[in-house]
Coordinates of all heavy atoms in Angstrom, one line a residue:
K1 N 127.5 -14.1 151.9 CA 128.5 -14.7 151.0 C 129.2 -13.5 150.3 O 128.5 -12.5 149.9 CB 127.8 -15.6 149.9 CG 127.2 -16.8 150.5 CD 126.5 -17.6 149.5 CE 125.7 -18.8 150.1 NZ 125.0 -19.5 149.1
K2 N 130.5 -13.6 150.2 CA 131.2 -12.5 149.7 C 132.1 -12.9 148.5 O 132.6 -14.0 148.4 CB 132.2 -11.9 150.8 CG 131.5 -11.5 152.0 CD 132.5 -10.9 153.0 CE 131.9 -10.4 154.3 NZ 131.4 -11.5 155.1
I3 N 132.2 -12.0 147.5 CA 133.1 -12.2 146.4 C 134.1 -11.0 146.4 O 133.7 -9.9 146.3 CB 132.4 -12.2 145.1 CG1 131.4 -13.4 144.9 CG2 133.4 -12.2 143.9 CD1 130.6 -13.4 143.6
I4 N 135.3 -11.4 146.6 CA 136.4 -10.4 146.5 C 137.2 -10.7 145.2 O 138.0 -11.6 145.2 CB 137.4 -10.4 147.7 CG1 136.6 -10.4 149.0 CG2 138.3 -9.2 147.7 CD1 135.8 -9.2 149.3
P5 N 136.8 -10.1 144.1 CA 137.2 -10.7 142.8 C 138.7 -10.8 142.6 O 139.2 -11.6 141.8 CB 136.6 -9.7 141.8 CG 135.5 -9.0 142.6 CD 136.0 -8.9 144.0
W6 N 139.5 -9.8 143.1 CA 140.9 -9.8 142.7 C 141.8 -10.6 143.6 O 143.0 -10.6 143.5 CB 141.4 -8.3 142.7 CG 141.2 -7.7 144.1 CD1 142.2 -7.7 145.1 CD2 140.1 -7.0 144.6 NE1 141.7 -7.0 146.2 CE2 140.4 -6.6 145.9 CE3 138.8 -6.7 144.0 CZ2 139.5 -5.9 146.7 CZ3 137.9 -6.1 144.8 CH2 138.3 -5.7 146.1
K7 N 141.3 -11.4 144.5 CA 142.1 -12.3 145.3 C 141.4 -13.5 145.7 O 140.1 -13.5 145.7 CB 142.7 -11.5 146.5 CG 141.6 -11.2 147.5 CD 142.1 -10.2 148.5 CE 143.2 -10.8 149.4 NZ 143.6 -9.9 150.4
N8 N 142.1 -14.6 146.0 CA 141.4 -15.8 146.6 C 140.9 -15.4 148.0 O 141.6 -14.9 148.8 CB 142.4 -16.9 146.7 CG 142.8 -17.4 145.4 OD1 142.0 -17.4 144.4 ND2 144.0 -17.9 145.2
S9 N 139.6 -15.6 148.2 CA 139.0 -15.2 149.5 C 138.1 -16.2 150.0 O 137.6 -17.1 149.3 CB 138.3 -13.9 149.3 OG 137.3 -14.0 148.3
T10 N 137.7 -16.1 151.3 CA 136.7 -16.9 152.0 C 135.7 -16.0 152.5 O 135.9 -14.8 152.7 CB 137.4 -17.7 153.1 OG1 137.9 -16.8 154.1 CG2 138.6 -18.6 152.6
P11 N 134.5 -16.6 152.9 CA 133.4 -15.8 153.4 C 133.8 -15.1 154.7 O 133.2 -14.1 155.1 CB 132.3 -16.8 153.6 CG 132.5 -17.8 152.6 CD 134.0 -17.9 152.5
S12 N 134.8 -15.6 155.4 CA 135.1 -15.0 156.7 C 136.2 -13.9 156.6 O 136.6 -13.3 157.5 CB 135.7 -16.1 157.6 OG 136.9 -16.6 157.1
L13 N 136.6 -13.6 155.3 CA 137.6 -12.5 155.1 C 137.0 -11.2 155.6 O 135.9 -10.8 155.3 CB 137.9 -12.4 153.6 CG 139.0 -11.4 153.3 CD1 140.3 -11.7 153.8 CD2 139.0 -11.2 151.8
D14 N 137.9 -10.4 156.3 CA 137.5 -9.1 156.9 C 137.4 -8.2 155.7 O 138.3 -7.8 155.0 CB 138.5 -8.7 157.9 CG 138.1 -7.3 158.5 OD1 137.1 -6.8 158.2 OD2 138.9 -6.8 159.3
L15 N 136.1 -7.7 155.5 CA 135.9 -6.7 154.3 C 136.7 -5.5 154.5 O 137.2 -4.9 153.5 CB 134.5 -6.4 154.2 CG 133.6 -7.3 153.3 CD1 132.2 -6.8 153.2 CD2 134.2 -7.4 151.9
E16 N 136.9 -5.0 155.7 CA 137.6 -3.8 155.9 C 139.1 -3.9 155.4 O 139.6 -3.0 154.7 CB 137.7 -3.4 157.4 CG 138.1 -2.0 157.7 CD 136.9 -1.0 157.4 OE1 135.8 -1.5 157.2 OE2 137.2 0.2 157.3
M17 N 139.7 -5.0 155.6 CA 141.0 -5.2 155.0 C 141.0 -5.3 153.5 O 141.8 -4.9 152.8 CB 141.6 -6.5 155.6 CG 141.9 -6.5 157.1 SD 143.2 -5.2 157.5 CE 144.6 -5.9 156.6
A18 N 139.9 -5.9 153.0 CA 139.7 -6.1 151.6 C 139.6 -4.7 150.9 O 140.1 -4.4 149.8 CB 138.5 -6.9 151.3
F19 N 138.8 -3.8 151.6 CA 138.7 -2.4 151.0 C 140.0 -1.7 150.9 O 140.3 -1.1 149.9 CB 137.8 -1.6 151.9 CG 136.4 -2.1 152.1 CD1 135.6 -1.7 153.2 CD2 135.9 -3.0 151.2 CE1 134.3 -2.2 153.3 CE2 134.6 -3.5 151.4 CZ 133.8 -3.1 152.5
Q20 N 140.9 -1.9 151.9 CA 142.2 -1.2 151.9 C 143.0 -1.9 150.8 O 143.8 -1.2 150.1 CB 142.8 -1.4 153.3 CG 142.1 -0.6 154.4 CD 142.7 -0.9 155.8 OE1 143.7 -1.6 155.9 NE2 141.9 -0.5 156.8
D21 N 142.9 -3.2 150.7 CA 143.7 -3.9 149.6 C 143.3 -3.4 148.3 O 144.1 -3.2 147.4 CB 143.5 -5.4 149.8 CG 144.4 -6.2 148.9 OD1 145.6 -6.0 149.0 OD2 143.9 -7.1 148.2
R22 N 142.0 -3.2 148.1 CA 141.4 -2.8 146.8 C 142.0 -1.4 146.5 O 142.4 -1.1 145.4 CB 139.9 -2.7 146.9 CG 139.2 -2.1 145.7 CD 137.7 -2.2 145.9 NE 137.0 -1.9 144.6 CZ 136.7 -0.7 144.2 NH1 137.0 0.4 145.0 NH2 136.0 -0.5 143.1
A23 N 142.0 -0.5 147.5 CA 142.4 0.8 147.2 C 143.9 0.8 146.8 O 144.3 1.6 145.9 CB 142.2 1.7 148.5
A24 N 144.7 0.0 147.5 CA 146.1 -0.1 147.2 C 146.4 -0.7 145.8 O 147.2 -0.1 145.0 CB 146.8 -0.9 148.3
K25 N 145.7 -1.8 145.5 CA 145.9 -2.5 144.2 C 145.4 -1.8 143.0 O 145.9 -1.9 141.9 CB 145.4 -3.9 144.3 CG 146.2 -4.8 145.3 CD 145.8 -6.2 145.1 CE 146.8 -7.1 146.0 NZ 146.5 -8.5 145.9
L26 N 144.2 -1.1 143.2 CA 143.6 -0.5 142.0 C 143.8 1.0 141.9 O 143.3 1.6 141.0 CB 142.1 -0.8 142.1 CG 141.7 -2.3 142.1 CD1 140.2 -2.5 142.1 CD2 142.3 -3.0 140.9
G27 N 144.4 1.5 142.9 CA 144.7 3.0 142.9 C 143.4 3.8 143.1 O 143.3 4.9 142.7
K28 N 142.4 3.2 143.8 CA 141.2 3.9 144.0 C 141.1 4.5 145.4 O 142.0 4.2 146.2 CB 140.0 2.9 143.8 CG 140.0 2.4 142.4 CD 138.7 2.8 141.7 CE 138.8 2.2 140.3 NZ 137.4 1.8 139.8
S29 N 140.1 5.4 145.6 CA 140.0 6.0 146.9 C 139.6 4.9 147.9 O 139.0 3.9 147.6 CB 138.8 7.0 146.9 OG 137.6 6.3 146.5
N30 N 140.0 5.1 149.2 CA 139.7 4.2 150.3 C 138.3 4.6 150.8 O 138.2 4.9 152.0 CB 140.8 4.3 151.3 CG 140.8 3.0 152.2 OD1 140.1 2.1 151.9 ND2 141.6 3.1 153.3
S31 N 137.3 4.5 150.0 CA 136.0 4.9 150.3 C 135.4 4.0 151.4 O 135.7 2.9 151.5 CB 135.1 4.8 149.0 OG 133.7 5.0 149.3
R32 N 134.4 4.6 152.1 CA 133.7 3.8 153.1 C 132.2 3.9 152.9 O 131.4 3.9 153.8 CB 134.0 4.4 154.5 CG 135.4 4.0 155.0 CD 135.5 2.5 155.3 NE 136.9 2.2 155.7 CZ 137.9 1.9 154.9 NH1 137.7 2.0 153.6 NH2 139.1 1.6 155.4
L33 N 131.9 3.8 151.6 CA 130.5 3.8 151.2 C 130.1 2.4 150.8 O 130.6 1.8 149.9 CB 130.2 4.7 150.0 CG 128.8 4.7 149.5 CD1 127.8 5.2 150.5 CD2 128.7 5.5 148.1
I34 N 129.1 1.8 151.5 CA 128.5 0.5 151.2 C 127.1 0.8 150.6 O 126.3 1.4 151.1 CB 128.4 -0.4 152.4 CG1 129.7 -0.7 153.0 CG2 127.7 -1.7 152.1 CD1 129.7 -1.4 154.4
V35 N 126.9 0.2 149.4 CA 125.6 0.3 148.7 C 124.9 -1.0 148.8 O 125.3 -2.0 148.4 CB 125.9 0.7 147.2 CG1 124.5 0.8 146.5 CG2 126.7 1.9 147.0
V36 N 123.7 -0.9 149.5 CA 122.9 -2.1 149.7 C 121.7 -2.1 148.8 O 120.8 -1.3 148.9 CB 122.4 -2.1 151.2 CG1 121.5 -3.3 151.4 CG2 123.6 -2.1 152.2
A37 N 121.7 -3.1 147.9 CA 120.7 -3.3 146.9 C 120.0 -4.6 147.0 O 119.5 -5.1 146.0 CB 121.3 -3.1 145.5
S38 N 119.9 -5.1 148.2 CA 119.3 -6.4 148.4 C 117.8 -6.4 148.1 O 117.2 -7.5 147.8 CB 119.5 -6.9 149.9 OG 120.8 -7.1 150.2
L39 N 117.1 -5.3 148.2 CA 115.7 -5.2 147.9 C 115.4 -5.1 146.4 O 114.2 -5.2 146.0 CB 115.1 -4.0 148.6 CG 115.2 -4.1 150.2 CD1 114.7 -2.7 150.8 CD2 114.4 -5.2 150.7
I40 N 116.4 -4.9 145.6 CA 116.2 -4.7 144.2 C 116.3 -6.1 143.5 O 117.1 -6.9 143.7 CB 117.3 -3.8 143.6 CG1 117.2 -2.4 144.2 CG2 117.3 -3.7 142.1 CD1 118.4 -1.5 143.9
D41 N 115.3 -6.3 142.6 CA 115.3 -7.6 141.9 C 115.4 -7.6 140.4 O 115.2 -8.6 139.8 CB 114.0 -8.4 142.4 CG 112.7 -7.6 142.2 OD1 112.7 -6.7 141.3 OD2 111.8 -7.8 143.0
K42 N 115.6 -6.4 139.8 CA 115.8 -6.4 138.3 C 117.3 -6.4 138.0 O 118.0 -5.6 138.4 CB 115.1 -5.1 137.8 CG 113.6 -5.2 137.8 CD 113.0 -4.0 137.0 CE 111.5 -4.1 137.0 NZ 110.9 -3.0 136.3
P43 N 117.7 -7.4 137.2 CA 119.1 -7.6 136.9 C 119.7 -6.3 136.2 O 120.9 -6.0 136.4 CB 119.2 -8.8 136.0 CG 118.0 -9.6 136.3 CD 116.9 -8.5 136.7
T44 N 118.9 -5.6 135.4 CA 119.4 -4.4 134.8 C 119.8 -3.3 135.8 O 120.8 -2.7 135.7 CB 118.4 -3.9 133.8 OG1 117.1 -3.8 134.4 CG2 118.3 -4.8 132.6
N45 N 118.9 -3.1 136.8 CA 119.2 -2.1 137.8 C 120.4 -2.5 138.6 O 121.2 -1.7 139.0 CB 118.0 -2.0 138.7 CG 116.9 -1.1 138.1 OD1 117.1 -0.3 137.2 ND2 115.6 -1.4 138.5
L46 N 120.5 -3.8 139.0 CA 121.7 -4.3 139.7 C 123.0 -4.2 138.9 O 124.0 -3.8 139.5 CB 121.4 -5.7 140.2 CG 120.3 -5.9 141.2 CD1 120.0 -7.4 141.4 CD2 120.8 -5.3 142.6

């Protein structure tokens, strides 16, 4: 399940396009770092 906060999106939305859209709209780097925290269960750490 995906949340792309700045636009209406569906779970099938291509994240790669979303990353580029984010970089363009927010003026951020077009980073390719994915941080996986699925094993973490403390809300403060997340």
Side-chain angles (χ1 to χ4, degrees):
K1 296 178 183 175
K2 303 181 178 74
I3 296 179
I4 312 296
W6 59 91
K7 66 192 294 182
N8 293 327
S9 60
T10 63
S12 61
L13 180 68
D14 182 2
L15 269 183
E16 197 71 15
M17 294 298 295
F19 299 161
Q20 295 172 10
D21 189 52
R22 175 180 191 270
K25 289 191 175 181
L26 301 182
K28 299 244 178 145
S29 63
N30 201 8
S31 170
R32 286 293 178 275
L33 175 66
I34 297 175
V35 180
V36 178
S38 295
L39 299 172
I40 296 172
D41 51 29
K42 288 188 178 179
T44 49
N45 284 331
L46 290 167

